[in-house]
């Protein structure tokens, strides 16, 4: 059979129903990693749902306990065809965020897949069950078209804790580096830049969450009796926050301003246009770094965000000066930012600005580090050429995603070039009620991945 036969078979899989029937089985498992009572569901997803599927495709499958002793198991599957062939590692996460039952439109059950027009509803349809299942299915279509062979070696890693920050994944990759050894990571997560244009991204922004606190005294005091006599921690905190950016949100801390927006990165981003869609927020084009385009701001620069503010009793204000105030903040950062110096640089800035009383507390460890594979990687060129051959259009090539993923486990710990081909779009409601995948996009993606894996088997880039 030919490459086109494999693509046609992939399209029929979507058009005639088997793909969606099997996806419904995956969605039905309530794999909420943020719910402490779902440990059994996470293991069931790997052991009962995925394992038989992969073993039926000729993979050897092993389940591993989380190295941190947490209830987040991992699955590693391998199909080895020849020592002389390249090895492709594929990654996905079987866990999802909370189902948010009772909040979905039409009273939909998040654990029951439902197709309405071109939308396929269900928790995990977009993030990430629908995406890693698409890649697994594409591998099957290549094998079917090649008489049972891929033409390369394949490894598949599925974790169950990404929505909780992937605890244990870095430790697992370090301990299992030999078992995970490969020539490239080709995986899928996140959204396309536009639902109608295939996208390839090569890394992600990092994310660091922290709190700024001003804690002056125990309890609140009457604003009439003490106003003008007691320092107000909310005012002090507001002034400190205002010193971090200017009035349009451009960052003022020198160490937070990266030097990695290089000409090749800017050239790649010049080919990308952020979408406008009724389901998406309207972009504030006068917000952020004034010398950058919106695309450069979200994919090539750092952004500081205040996620929540609290002082006094906002739900029922009283005439009292609060004793403390807190702001929960986040820095999304790109390659070129010293992650170890983010909070020390903030401390130095606050001291210089006259706010030594503002405490800086890391609310949790760095979620994910910033990564970016070389734009001229032969694996990137292969993926881009394959997508163009399948779809007739060149993909949007993004140096990195605006969001974050545990890509450092692959790019740094395993030292792999990383190629991400997302199968979702920005309006999919992936962390909200009504999560859905677009059926035409899934169909397109299944053919794209079948084409990429076919082309790797035809003689992809050799091992470095």
């Amino acid at each position: 059979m030919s490459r086109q036969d494999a693509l046609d078979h992939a399209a029929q899989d979507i058009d005639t129903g088997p793909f969606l029937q099997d996806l419904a089985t995956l969605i039905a498992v309530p794999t909420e990693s943020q719910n402490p009572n779902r440990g059994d569901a996470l293991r069931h997803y790997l052991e009962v749902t995925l394992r038989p599927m992969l073993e039926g495709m000729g993979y050897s499958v092993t389940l591993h306990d989380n190295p941190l002793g947490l209830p987040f198991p991992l699955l590693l599957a391998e199909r080895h065809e020849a020592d002389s062939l390249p090895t492709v590692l594929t990654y996905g996460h079987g866990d999802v965020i909370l189902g948010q039952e009772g909040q979905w439109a039409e009273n939909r059950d998040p654990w029951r897949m439902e197709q309405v027009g071109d939308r396929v509803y269900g928790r995990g349809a977009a993030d990430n069950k629908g995406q890693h299942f698409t890649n697994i299915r594409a591998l099957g279509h290549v094998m079917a078209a090649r008489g049972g062979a891929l033409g390369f070696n394949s490894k598949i890693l599925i974790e169950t804790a990404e929505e909780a920050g992937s605890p244990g994944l870095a430790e697992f990759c370090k301990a299992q580096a030999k078992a995970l050894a490969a020539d490239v990571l080709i995986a899928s997560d996140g959204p396309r830049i536009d639902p109608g244009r295939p996208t390839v991204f090569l890394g992600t922004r990092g994310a660091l969450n922290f709190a700024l606190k001003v804690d002056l005294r125990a309890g609140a005091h009457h604003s009439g009796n003490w106003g003008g006599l007691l320092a107000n921690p909310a005012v002090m905190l507001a002034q400190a926050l205002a010193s971090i950016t200017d009035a349009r949100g451009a960052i003022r801390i020198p160490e937070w301003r990266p030097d990695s927006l290089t000409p090749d990165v800017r050239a790649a981003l010049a080919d990308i246009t952020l979408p406008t869609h009724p389901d998406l927020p309207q972009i504030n084009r006068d917000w952020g770094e004034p010398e950058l385009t919106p695309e450069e701001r979200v994919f090539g620069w750092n952004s500081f965000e205040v996620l929540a503010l609290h002082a006094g009793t906002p739900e029922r204000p009283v005439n009292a000066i609060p004793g403390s105030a807190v702001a929960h903040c986040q820095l999304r950062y790109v390659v070129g930012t010293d992650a170890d110096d983010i909070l020390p640089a903030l401390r130095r800035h606050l001291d210089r600005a006259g706010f030594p009383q503002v405490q800086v507390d890391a609310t949790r460890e760095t979620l994910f580090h910033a990564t970016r594979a070389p734009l001229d990687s032969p694996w990137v060129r292969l993926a881009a050429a394959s997508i163009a051959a399948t779809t007739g259009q060149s993909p949007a090539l993004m140096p990195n995603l605006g969001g974050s993923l545990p890509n450092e486990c692959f790019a740094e710990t395993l030292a792999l070039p990383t190629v991400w081909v997302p199968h979702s779009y920005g309006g999919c409601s992936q962390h909200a009620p009504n999560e859905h995948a677009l059926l035409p996009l899934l169909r397109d993606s299944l053919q794209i991945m079948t084409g990429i894996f076919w082309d790797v088997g035809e003689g992809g880039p050799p091992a470095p």
Side-chain angles (χ1 to χ4, degrees), residues 83-101:
D83 291 344
S84 59
L85 296 175
T87 299
V88 175
L89 174 64
T90 302
Y91 159 86
H93 63 91
D95 66 310
V96 297
I97 70 155
L98 299 176
Q100 298 173 311
E101 292 90 338

Side-chain angles (χ1 to χ4, degrees), residues 202-386:
L202 310 181
T204 62
R205 288 202 294 182
L208 181 67
N209 287 43
F210 55 92
L212 297 182
K213 299 179 181 178
V214 179
D215 191 358
L216 299 183
R217 63 188 71 87
H221 295 272
H222 193 281
S223 58
N225 297 333
W226 295 98
L229 301 178
L230 297 181
N232 189 310
V235 173
M236 296 169 68
L237 181 59
Q239 295 290 328
L241 289 170
S243 76
I244 295 174
T245 72
D246 64 14
R248 59 175 289 153
I251 292 172
R252 285 173 162 165
I253 301 176
E255 297 90 338
W256 287 12
R257 298 176 61 82
D259 58 4
S260 56
L261 194 54
T262 54
D264 61 331
V265 172
R266 300 192 87 152
L269 294 177
D271 183 49
I272 294 171
T273 302
L274 290 169
T276 56
H277 189 276
D279 291 342
L280 301 177
Q282 183 68 35
I283 294 172
N284 298 120
R285 296 189 176 272
D286 57 352
W287 181 257
E289 194 67 24
E291 302 301 321
L292 304 183
T293 67
E295 292 77 13
E296 290 171 340
R297 292 171 197 157
V298 71
F299 301 124
W301 201 251
N302 295 348
S303 61
F304 168 72
E305 305 296 343
V306 178
L307 307 178
L309 280 167
H310 183 89
T313 54
E315 68 283 358
R316 191 172 181 178
V318 296
N319 294 323
I321 302 167
S324 62
V326 61
H328 296 275
C329 307
Q330 181 186 77
L331 184 73
R332 295 273 182 175
Y333 62 95
V334 297
V335 168
T337 305
D338 184 351
D340 294 331
D341 194 43
I342 290 174
L343 294 187
L346 175 60
R347 177 72 273 160
R348 295 192 296 270
H349 166 80
L350 292 173
D351 289 344
R352 288 194 304 267
F355 300 108
Q357 68 276 48
V358 177
Q359 305 169 33
V360 179
D361 297 328
T363 54
R364 46 182 169 174
E365 296 296 321
T366 300
L367 296 177
F368 302 119
H369 292 280
T371 57
R372 181 185 293 163
L375 286 160
D376 61 351
S377 162
W379 289 103
V380 175
R381 293 197 297 268
L382 180 145
S386 178

Side-chain angles (χ1 to χ4, degrees), residues 8 17 387 416 442:
D8 292 343
I387 291 171
L416 300 179
L442 279 179

